[in-house]
Amino acid sequence: MGTLENVLDHPVMVRLARSRAATRLVNPYSPVRDSRLRAAVSGRTVLVTGASYGLGAATARRLGAAGATVLLVARTAEALAGTAESVTAAGGTAHSYPCDLSDPEAVKDLASKIEERHGAVDVLVSNAGKSIRRSIEDSYDRFHDYERTIGVNYLGPVRLVLALLPGMRARGHGHLVNISTIGALIPPGPRWSAYQASKSAFDVFFRSAATEAACDGITATSVYMALIRTRMSAPTAIFDNVPGLTPDEAAELVCRAVVDRPRRVSPWWAGLAEVGFTAARWPWEVVAGRLFAAGRNRGAVPAGRSATRAEEARQ
């Protein structure tokens, strides 16, 4: 009996997964009309973290083209400048703010500059993230993997929300968007302990904070993304055979969150998966463990290797 990787690597499965029909079934999306997006963000200030590559950059370009003043935040200044240039080249307005979200003083300085130069932010899109796919046995001497993921995926975004939320509440309006992961809704799988734990932590913080902020007119949307084909997913070969969205397609889901302001945006099957996996937690854990054992360390990042492309994504 083959492993899950063997099944997904089968030529028929590969063709099916990469088909447009499969992508639309698993990750449906509908583009937001330009007129609706412009009405929602024109003249507004929108801060997007992780704006140097992938989904963050695509979202910034879309919002900038609709008339928003986009504040771009990411660690890599050169890449961030490239995103800003693409926004302005299309007639939009963008300002770059290089910042390492895992650095408390850097986040404090960032919030101070933004408040001084732009006032209160109208929309905060928390998109920056760090992904590490590594087994527990390859992590015994790599506690820093957990420190790095929690710094970018949880503590950094929390600091930014705490810094910018008071300005929103003082004005009585604002919108918070968290780019979460479908992994926060379903049971954790092997090799993703650092990533899923840190993303789930911010997901819980975000939803809890949203219930309080609502009292002051602040709305919030959790966007549970499935697979997006970016630098973050590229190093994991098995994802090549799973239906996924392009960054531009995924950006439409973010724009819908900004326009419609629902509490949650997720694939149609996410609710069914939550109920199903909760009811079948024990069988899932047994099957997942056996599949991991069967294909042990296949495609995992070797112990001792420096930061991979996956770890640098969305920074």
Side-chain angles (χ1 to χ4, degrees), residues 2-313:
T3 65
L4 178 62
E5 285 89 347
N6 296 144
V7 174
L8 292 178
D9 280 342
H10 191 280
V12 174
M13 293 300 294
V14 172
R15 287 196 296 273
L16 176 62
R18 293 180 177 177
S19 69
R20 186 176 182 84
T23 297
R24 291 294 171 266
L25 176 63
V26 176
N27 299 300
Y29 86 103
S30 55
V32 177
R33 293 201 306 272
D34 291 344
S35 58
R36 293 195 67 217
L37 185 59
R38 181 168 290 278
V41 303
S42 182
R44 301 292 180 91
T45 301
V46 182
L47 189 154
V48 181
T49 66
S52 53
Y53 299 103
L55 174 59
T59 298
R61 290 193 294 268
R62 186 78 166 93
L63 294 173
T69 295
V70 187
L71 310 184
L72 311 173
V73 175
R75 189 179 61 182
T76 309
E78 183 177 351
L80 205 59
T83 301
E85 183 178 347
S86 65
V87 171
T88 56
T93 301
H95 301 275
S96 298
Y97 289 95
C99 177
D100 181 352
L101 292 180
S102 65
D103 182 343
E105 290 303 315
V107 175
K108 181 179 179 181
D109 183 57
L110 168 68
S112 178
K113 289 179 180 177
I114 289 173
E115 182 178 6
E116 178 184 344
R117 300 173 185 177
H118 307 283
V121 169
D122 295 298
V123 181
L124 169 61
V125 180
S126 296
N127 166 72
K130 180 183 288 293
S131 175
I132 295 178
R133 179 178 184 263
R134 183 172 285 118
S135 68
I136 289 294
E137 67 180 319
D138 285 337
S139 303
Y140 292 154
D141 60 349
R142 296 183 61 89
F143 185 71
H144 59 280
D145 284 348
Y146 297 89
E147 293 177 311
R148 290 187 295 170
T149 50
I150 204 168
V152 175
N153 297 346
Y154 175 46
L155 296 180
V158 167
R159 290 187 186 103
L160 196 55
V161 169
L162 294 179
L164 299 181
L165 186 55
M168 292 183 176
R169 299 178 87 164
R171 293 197 308 177
H173 68 83
H175 187 52
L176 303 172
V177 179
N178 173 30
I179 308 304
S180 189
T181 170
I182 198 69
L185 300 179
I186 61 178
R191 298 193 179 102
W192 295 104
S193 58
Y195 177 70
Q196 284 192 263
S198 57
K199 292 293 288 185
S200 295
F202 185 65
D203 179 68
V204 172
F205 162 83
F206 184 86
R207 289 186 288 116
S208 178
T211 61
E212 297 184 35
C215 298
D216 295 311
I218 311 304
T219 52
T221 303
S222 298
V223 182
Y224 295 98
M225 287 288 185
L227 178 64
I228 308 174
R229 301 201 182 283
T230 64
R231 297 191 329 148
M232 178 178 282
S233 64
T236 304
I238 192 175
F239 286 163
D240 292 342
N241 303 333
V242 175
L245 297 173
T246 67
D248 287 336
E249 290 171 338
E252 292 299 322
L253 296 178
V254 182
C255 290
R256 184 160 297 284
V258 172
V259 171
D260 295 335
R261 302 193 172 196
R263 291 177 180 269
R264 167 171 163 168
V265 173
S266 62
W268 62 269
W269 47 268
L272 298 176
E274 281 185 273
V275 175
F277 277 117
T278 298
R281 175 177 174 176
W282 179 79
W284 159 253
E285 291 175 349
V286 171
V287 171
R290 289 180 178 176
L291 288 174
F292 171 75
R296 198 169 192 176
N297 291 327
R298 177 179 178 178
V301 178
R305 180 178 294 181
S306 59
T308 66
R309 288 180 297 163
E311 296 175 9
E312 298 303 322

